[in-house]
C-alpha cells in the first residue's frame, strides 16, 4: 500500500461518522416505496459533497452555460438558462460560486424568487467534451456589482456591453454531486452564423421573435392592465416580512398558518417542519459548518 493510500485509509478511519441522510423526506419515502433506499444511500455516501472538490472546481470554471432552478416563498418553481463565456460562473472558493446577471427581459423571475426564498439548484451539463453533469444546491444572495468588486477586486470587467453585470448572484454551496452520463447526448459545436450571439440586444428578431406565436395570439387574450404598482417602501417592507418569515421557518420557530410548508424545491429538505411519523427529527442539513449560511 502506497503512502497516499495509507493516508487516505487513516483519514477515512478517523473521519466523523455521518448518520443523517441528505435529501428531502419525500425522496426518502419514494426510495422506500420503490425499493431503492440502499442504492440511494450508496450514492449519498460516495457522491454527495458539501463543497466543490478540485475536479468540480475545474469543471465549473470552463462551463459556458447552466440551468438555474428557483422557487418563490409559496414554492412556485421556475427553471431558466444562463450562458456566458467560459468562467462566467466564478468559483470564489470551494464553497462559493458567483455569476453576473446580464440585462434581460426585465422580468427578473429568478432574482425575485431568490429575494423570497434563497434556495437554488444549479445544473451544469457538459455536452461537448466529458458528457457529464454537476449539480450544485445551495443558498443564494444578490450582491450589487460595486460591492462584489470591492470584495473581489480581481474580477475582470467584461468588454461586451451585453455581458456587463447588473448584479451578482452569490451561491453558498450546500450539496454538490454528479449527474451521470448515461442519457446525456454528445453534441458538437458549429461555427457561429453571422455576427454570433447578440448579447444584450433589443432586436426582436435576434431575440427569437414571436417563435411560439404567443404575441400573435395576445389580442385574443384581451388587454393586459397591470394593477397599480406599490411604492418602493411598500415593496421593501413586504420583502423584509417575507425574509423574516423564512428565517423563522428555517429556525423552527414559525408556527403560524402555513408554517413548514416550505419552498425548498431542490432536495435539501430545509422546508420540512415536522419529522416522519416514527418520531425522528426532520432532515435540516446533512453537513454542518460554522459561520453564516
Amino acid at each position: 500500500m502506497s503512502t497516499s493510500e495509507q493516508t487516505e485509509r487513516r483519514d477515512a478511519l478517523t473521519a466523523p461518522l455521518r448518520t443523517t441522510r441528505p435529501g428531502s423526506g419525500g425522496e426518502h419515502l419514494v426510495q422506500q416505496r420503490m425499493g431503492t433506499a440502499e442504492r440511494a444511500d450508496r450514492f449519498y455516501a460516495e457522491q454527495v459533497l458539501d463543497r466543490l472538490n478540485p475536479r468540480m472546481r475545474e469543471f465549473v470554471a470552463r462551463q459556458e452555460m447552466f440551468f438555474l432552478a428557483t422557487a418563490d416563498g409559496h414554492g412556485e418553481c421556475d427553471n431558466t438558462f444562463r450562458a456566458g463565456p467560459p468562467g462566467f460562473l466564478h468559483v470564489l472558493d470551494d464553497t462559493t460560486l458567483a455569476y453576473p446577471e446580464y440585462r434581460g427581459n426585465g422580468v427578473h423571475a429568478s432574482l425575485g424568487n431568490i429575494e423570497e426564498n434563497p434556495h437554488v439548484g444549479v445544473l451544469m451539463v457538459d455536452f461537448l467534451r466529458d458528457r457529464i453533469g454537476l449539480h450544485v444546491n445551495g443558498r443564494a444572495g444578490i450582491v450589487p456589482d460595486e460591492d462584489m468588486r470591492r470584495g473581489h477586486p480581481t474580477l475582470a470587467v467584461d468588454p461586451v456591453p451585453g455581458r456587463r453585470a447588473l448584479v451578482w448572484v452569490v451561491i453558498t454551496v450546500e450539496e454538490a454531486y454528479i449527474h451521470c452520463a448515461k442519457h446525456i447526448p454528445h453534441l458538437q459545436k458549429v461555427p457561429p452564423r453571422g455576427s454570433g450571439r447578440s448579447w444584450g440586444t433589443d432586436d426582436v428578431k435576434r431575440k427569437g421573435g414571436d417563435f411560439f406565436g404567443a404575441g400573435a395570439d395576445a389580442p385574443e387574450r384581451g388587454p393586459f392592465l397591470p394593477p397599480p404598482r406599490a411604492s418602493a417602501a411598500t415593496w421593501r417592507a413586504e420583502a423584509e416580512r417575507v425574509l423574516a418569515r423564512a428565517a423563522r421557518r428555517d429556525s423552527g420557530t414559525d408556527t403560524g398558518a402555513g408554517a413548514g410548508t416550505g419552498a425548498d424545491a431542490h432536495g435539501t429538505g430545509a422546508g420540512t417542519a415536522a419529522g416522519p411519523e416514527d418520531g425522528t427529527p426532520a432532515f435540516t442539513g446533512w453537513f454542518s459548518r460554522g459561520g453564516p449560511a
Side-chain angles (χ1 to χ4, degrees):
M1 183 182 297
S2 67
T3 303
S4 61
E5 289 174 333
Q6 290 175 349
T7 301
E8 290 178 4
R9 181 178 176 83
R10 183 177 65 251
D11 291 345
L13 292 173
T14 58
L17 184 65
R18 294 174 292 171
T19 59
T20 306
R21 304 174 77 208
S24 67
E27 71 186 65
H28 300 159
L29 180 64
V30 173
Q31 291 162 14
Q32 293 291 336
R33 186 183 301 151
M34 303 292 286
T36 65
E38 184 176 344
R39 184 150 46 99
D41 280 344
R42 285 198 303 271
F43 183 83
Y44 292 151
E46 295 174 4
Q47 294 295 331
V48 181
L49 306 182
D50 68 336
R51 61 193 60 238
L52 302 169
N53 67 18
R55 286 192 178 185
M56 291 175 175
R57 295 197 295 271
E58 185 276 330
F59 181 86
V60 172
R62 56 183 170 82
Q63 298 310 303
E64 298 180 57
M65 62 181 182
F66 65 87
F67 302 94
L68 176 69
T70 59
D72 67 14
H74 301 287
E76 300 290 338
C77 298
D78 181 77
N79 189 274
T80 190
F81 172 80
R82 291 290 182 268
F88 84 108
L89 179 57
H90 295 256
V91 181
L92 301 183
D93 56 50
D94 62 353
T95 60
T96 315
L97 297 175
Y99 70 88
E101 278 283 349
Y102 304 144
R103 183 177 184 274
N105 58 14
V107 174
H108 301 306
S110 299
L111 295 180
N113 285 347
I114 291 169
E115 285 281 0
E116 294 188 22
N117 172 11
H119 297 282
V120 299
V122 172
L123 173 61
M124 292 158 271
V125 181
D126 184 343
F127 296 98
L128 305 176
R129 194 178 92 176
D130 297 317
R131 205 167 54 83
I132 204 75
L134 175 64
H135 292 264
V136 174
N137 297 328
R139 290 174 177 252
I142 302 169
V143 180
D145 183 61
E146 58 271 21
D147 293 349
M148 189 71 179
R149 295 189 183 281
R150 275 197 297 269
H152 302 276
T154 59
L155 285 175
V157 176
D158 199 308
V160 179
R163 296 202 302 252
R164 301 281 169 80
L166 298 179
V167 294
W168 291 78
V169 175
V170 179
I171 301 170
T172 299
V173 177
E174 293 179 337
E175 295 179 339
Y177 55 91
I178 191 173
H179 187 102
C180 76
K182 187 161 52 176
H183 302 298
I184 297 176
H186 196 176
L187 307 180
Q188 290 182 332
K189 271 191 172 183
V190 298
R193 291 180 293 182
S195 58
R197 287 182 281 186
S198 302
W199 298 99
T201 184
D202 281 326
D203 184 293
V204 174
K205 184 175 181 180
R206 291 187 178 184
K207 290 170 65 175
D210 190 24
F211 184 87
F212 292 103
D217 295 339
E220 300 175 13
R221 298 194 294 272
F224 174 56
L225 182 63
R229 293 186 177 91
S231 67
T234 302
W235 279 114
R236 174 53 58 188
E238 175 64 12
E240 290 175 352
R241 186 193 67 79
V242 169
L243 293 173
R245 179 65 179 273
R248 292 197 302 271
R249 184 179 64 238
D250 283 351
S251 66
T253 60
D254 188 349
T255 57
T261 56
D264 182 5
H266 310 299
T268 64
T272 305
E277 293 182 359
D278 62 4
T280 57
F283 174 73
T284 58
W286 191 27
F287 307 98
S288 61
R289 289 194 299 269

